[in-house]
Amino acid sequence: MQGNIQISELNQPYSLDKDQITRYGDDGHILLRGLASQSLIEHYRPQIVDEVKRLNQETRPLEKRDTYGKAFLQIMNLWEQSKLIEPFVFAKRFAKVAAELMNVTGVRIYHDQALFKEPGGGYTPWHQDQIYWPVDTDKVITLWMPLVDVPDEVGSMTFVSGSHKHGYISKMEISDMSHQTLKSYIESEKLPQANYGALQAGDATFHAGWTLHSAPGNPTAHTREVMTIIYIADETRVLEPDSNARKSDLERWMPGLKAGDPINSRLNPLLYRI
């Protein structure tokens, strides 16, 4: 019975108003409070944490890792690994919000990932997610949901408002160099930055694939546990990969597809359609 209650909640719509949709279109990011209830988080968080522990292969101490490795533990596609977690990742409630914010009729999953920033974990450099994705669209969006409360000192993400309209700014992958290069760009262009501050478990931010963003390190003794889901507009086609990162993503997240194909592999099921 408990499982049925959770599934029912995952299918319940979250009400967006026109101002929120407009704001996302203008800024390339938005915060939605209470997208997942506390009961949903209490149900799914232990399962996600257990899978992260089971699948994590990073055993080096923080001081032995590079900047990317210090930023977070990153575990991909938990829905493939756990039938218990799949309903959370495939939630129509979340997917419908993604479709409405992007003003599209349907969305497919690109992939999910758990991002756990450990105690003492480093900063996440400025970057654009979409440099990694061989997708022929700008209709891509990421849900970023903390599974625990995130106080100000732990740090949620900082976004550069309107940067999604600038498109492909730099091909540099996440690194100290990307941080410095994009930081200089942000400052020279005098681009506005936004941070939503403290978040509660179950709150969620959404940001576009081209939106510049970063996050500070974690100075606390508690892990910042976050679950993310990346959505692409239905009927999007594969873009010819122009980098090794995009070639790797094509092989991993869209198996069997090639440039020009509709993105509909076994790993990209349709999650919502109007």
Side-chain angles (χ1 to χ4, degrees), residues 76-77 79 109-113 133 228-230 249 253:
M76 307 282 207
N77 255 26
W79 77 263
I109 188 171
Y110 187 55
H111 65 80
D112 72 55
Q113 53 187 354
W133 305 337
T228 72
I229 307 169
I230 305 165
D249 258 36
W253 307 120

Side-chain angles (χ1 to χ4, degrees), residues 89-100 106-107 143 206 231 271-272:
V89 175
F90 284 10
K92 185 180 292 186
R93 178 179 177 86
F94 306 160
K96 182 175 184 288
V97 169
E100 290 178 342
V107 293
L143 174 158
F206 284 79
Y231 304 91
L271 299 188
Y272 173 77

Side-chain angles (χ1 to χ4, degrees), residues 33-57:
R33 298 285 187 186
L35 182 62
S37 69
Q38 292 306 300
S39 63
L40 271 181
I41 295 298
E42 289 170 4
H43 180 78
Y44 284 103
R45 175 181 172 263
Q47 300 167 32
I48 293 170
V49 170
D50 285 348
E51 281 300 292
V52 169
K53 290 178 179 177
R54 183 177 74 86
L55 296 170
N56 175 48
Q57 298 181 5

Side-chain angles (χ1 to χ4, degrees), residues 117 149-156 215-220 222-225:
K117 193 179 287 286
D149 292 348
V150 179
D152 283 331
E153 61 268 25
V154 174
S156 55
N218 179 5
T220 75
H222 305 284
T223 298
R224 190 204 70 185
E225 301 169 4

